[in-house]
Amino acid sequence: MILGNAKWFEAWLQGEQRFAEEQYHEIISASDAWLVAGAEEEQDVPGDLKATHSARRVCSLIEQVTDRYSPLPQSIQRISFLTSVQLPLLSSYYGRITASLDAFETLSSAFVRAVPGALSVGLGKEDGRVHVDNRGLTSGVEGVQRLCKALLSAKYVEMMMRNWAEELFFVELWTEINHKYELRKIAITNPLLPDPKAEGGEIPEDTLFDEVLARYDCLVNRAEGMIVQQICGEIESLLKVHFVALSSSPKLDSQSDQVDEITLSQTLLAPIALLSSHLTFLRINMSKAILTNLYRRITSRLADHILHRQILYRGRFNLTEGKNIHAECELWVGTCRTALGGALPGGRARIDAPWTKLLQAASLVSFEGDAWTAINSVAFSTQAEDEWDAAMMQTVGLLEMGREEVFQTLRRREDCVY
């Protein structure tokens, strides 16, 4: 019998290992390996998570291997397939995604400063040399698309591993590894397996895939962080142009007939349009859970950036400029509502939440007449904290800003006398 002959079993195992490796390399080398699978191909995807073709095929290959070795009678034979075939495949795919993120960081201007004389785009006829521009691969929606493919690939494999870890076959195999000395020794020396902790007849609290899961979880977090950095970095770069334009423009007289006119700078259109494009892409391609997390992180950072650059740490401005600031902040929120539609659970309230403090600050600096007098009188009063909170609530409604932030915001107005 093959199973009873150690040499024959080892030859079979090596054959399966070579076959799996060949299949894996075909999968990641395919022309559609990193394309997102169509909806008709995703019936087995957990929840509404999309996946790349390579992620789906790697997981399918893992499952095929499981089907072939799960009937084996001896646990030492089953763990041999696990450690020689399945875990190395998962580790190789992890390495492939990691390498793609490393390459993106190397090329992206969002992570490394531009070096004078670096590779640039175009065919330079003037000197007969060919210049290659890598920025086109890492900028705009196209650049974020590459990061999203890495994220979707890692997230899909992570979710599939969580499902496998709960299957009876792998639960029983991990229990045997914890309880049998010879299997424990194998697990302890394998960096892709967690250390067995259960003793005696205890049921393990961890799972067989925990070590690899932790690596993929870090990979998912890294990809999400890079997406946030890429989007925010590009928008903040465009906002720098906008803020410079505002600071160099002549002030409008708050006493003139133009005081009621809202004039939005043309330099705001580029960052607004870029945010809209990014959010639309994320809405179409990300699951609700990933979209919600990315949206919160992106807009929280942008709102904080705008609050500091546009209101708190700029020169003093008049009522007309305060109204323009308020209009700009409302445009940011309106852009998000349009781009996301009803994609986020929680609807409009979830979309508006990260912008709340910025909108409140912008609202404060746009008050005029009796409302401006009233808010200054209440804000700079000497009431105790609880009484101050109640008075502010009655004057302007629920306020997320602290007392010092309110002081700092109101004092940006030229007509604040406190």
Side-chain angles (χ1 to χ4, degrees), residues 10 45 63 115 132 156 170 187 245 249-250 267 270 273 275 315 328 343 369 372 391 407:
E10 185 63 26
V45 177
E63 291 177 334
V115 179
V132 181
Y156 179 80
F170 288 112
S249 300
T267 54
L275 177 62
E328 287 188 10
W372 174 249
F407 291 169

Side-chain angles (χ1 to χ4, degrees), residues 292-341:
T292 300
N293 181 45
L294 289 176
Y295 174 76
R296 177 186 55 79
R297 294 177 62 181
I298 291 166
T299 52
S300 294
R301 172 169 160 174
L302 289 177
D304 190 61
H305 180 78
I306 296 169
L307 174 63
H308 285 80
R309 292 293 306 276
Q310 186 82 321
I311 299 177
L312 297 182
Y313 300 108
R314 61 172 286 178
R316 302 188 76 184
F317 48 84
N318 59 32
L319 170 60
T320 301
E321 292 171 303
K323 287 185 173 182
N324 283 341
I325 290 172
H326 191 207
E328 287 188 10
C329 294
E330 289 187 324
L331 181 59
W332 284 105
V333 181
T335 298
C336 294
R337 292 172 184 163
T338 301
L340 294 178

Side-chain angles (χ1 to χ4, degrees), residues 13 19 48 53 89 113 148 183 185 189 195 197 200 211 234 239 264 320 330 336 373-374 388 399-400:
L13 178 62
F19 175 76
D48 60 345
H53 289 291
L89 286 176
R113 293 185 177 183
C148 287
L183 301 184
K185 287 196 302 181
T189 58
D195 290 336
K197 297 182 176 64
E211 181 61 37
E234 290 184 345
L239 275 174
L264 296 180
T320 301
E330 289 187 324
C336 294
T373 302
W388 184 88
L399 195 65
E400 287 195 3

Side-chain angles (χ1 to χ4, degrees), residues 375-387:
I375 188 60
N376 276 271
S377 177
V378 173
F380 291 101
S381 66
T382 58
Q383 301 175 85
E385 199 67 32
D386 291 346
E387 295 176 348

Side-chain angles (χ1 to χ4, degrees), residues 1 8 18 31 63 82 125 131 147 162 181 187 200 203 249 255 279 313 317-318 326 348 358 370 376 385 414:
M1 294 290 292
W8 292 356
R18 286 193 298 271
S31 58
E63 291 177 334
L82 175 72
K125 294 183 179 179
H131 301 281
L147 293 175
R162 294 190 187 281
Y181 176 72
I203 299 176
S249 300
Q255 302 301 319
L279 292 181
Y313 300 108
F317 48 84
N318 59 32
H326 191 207
R348 182 167 170 170
L358 174 63
D370 293 341
N376 276 271
E385 199 67 32
E414 293 175 344

Side-chain angles (χ1 to χ4, degrees), residues 5-277:
N5 187 304
K7 290 183 179 180
W8 292 356
F9 175 78
E10 185 63 26
W12 176 39
L13 178 62
Q14 290 178 3
E16 290 284 350
Q17 187 177 9
R18 286 193 298 271
F19 175 76
E21 290 173 352
E22 291 171 0
Q23 290 289 104
Y24 168 77
H25 288 298
E26 286 184 14
I27 288 171
I28 64 170
S29 301
S31 58
D32 63 348
W34 305 103
L35 297 179
V36 177
E40 70 280 357
E41 302 176 71
E42 297 178 352
Q43 290 83 1
D44 61 334
V45 177
D48 60 345
L49 179 67
K50 290 180 169 57
T52 60
H53 289 291
S54 62
R56 296 180 71 255
R57 291 166 185 166
V58 166
C59 289
S60 178
L61 178 58
I62 297 289
E63 291 177 334
Q64 290 172 22
V65 175
T66 301
D67 291 339
R68 285 200 290 273
Y69 81 85
S70 56
L72 294 177
Q74 299 180 27
S75 53
I76 189 67
Q77 295 172 333
R78 296 195 295 272
I79 195 175
S80 295
F81 267 85
L82 175 72
T83 58
S84 299
V85 183
Q86 290 180 305
L87 294 181
L89 286 176
L90 291 169
S91 180
S92 294
Y93 195 60
Y94 165 85
R96 179 65 180 80
I97 300 173
T98 299
S100 70
L101 295 182
D102 291 342
F104 190 96
E105 283 186 332
T106 301
L107 296 174
S108 175
S109 60
F111 293 91
V112 292
R113 293 185 177 183
V115 179
L119 294 176
S120 60
V121 141
L123 299 176
K125 294 183 179 179
E126 70 284 352
D127 58 5
R129 291 181 296 174
V130 176
H131 301 281
V132 181
D133 186 4
N134 289 312
R135 289 176 298 176
L137 301 175
T138 60
S139 61
V141 175
E142 184 178 353
V144 169
Q145 182 179 20
R146 286 179 166 79
L147 293 175
C148 287
K149 290 176 180 178
L151 171 59
L152 290 174
S153 299
K155 188 65 178 179
Y156 179 80
V157 176
E158 179 198 12
M159 293 189 69
M160 292 302 293
M161 278 194 288
R162 294 190 187 281
N163 289 343
W164 297 334
E166 300 301 322
E167 291 180 1
L168 181 60
F169 171 74
F170 288 112
V171 171
E172 290 180 341
L173 180 58
W174 182 234
T175 301
E176 288 186 83
I177 292 173
N178 274 265
H179 295 164
K180 293 183 177 181
Y181 176 72
E182 67 275 12
L183 301 184
R184 287 172 65 93
K185 287 196 302 181
I186 295 175
I188 291 172
T189 58
N190 192 310
L192 298 178
L193 283 172
D195 290 336
K197 297 182 176 64
E199 297 181 358
E202 294 180 356
I203 299 176
E205 295 183 359
D206 53 358
T207 74
L208 186 150
F209 292 101
D210 277 4
E211 181 61 37
V212 184
L213 268 172
R215 300 186 186 191
Y216 272 86
D217 186 53
C218 290
L219 193 57
V220 167
N221 291 336
R222 180 187 177 191
E224 289 182 343
M226 289 176 68
I227 291 171
V228 173
Q229 169 62 29
Q230 186 71 11
I231 293 175
C232 292
E234 290 184 345
I235 293 174
E236 288 167 5
S237 179
L238 293 175
L239 275 174
K240 187 182 297 184
V241 177
H242 174 60
F243 294 144
V244 169
L246 290 180
S247 64
S248 60
S249 300
K251 285 190 175 184
L252 292 174
D253 185 358
S254 61
Q255 302 301 319
S256 72
D257 294 336
Q258 292 178 306
V259 69
D260 292 326
E261 296 181 10
I262 304 299
T263 305
L264 296 180
S265 172
Q266 293 296 307
T267 54
L268 183 64
L269 299 181
I272 286 285
L274 183 58
L275 177 62
S276 177
S277 297

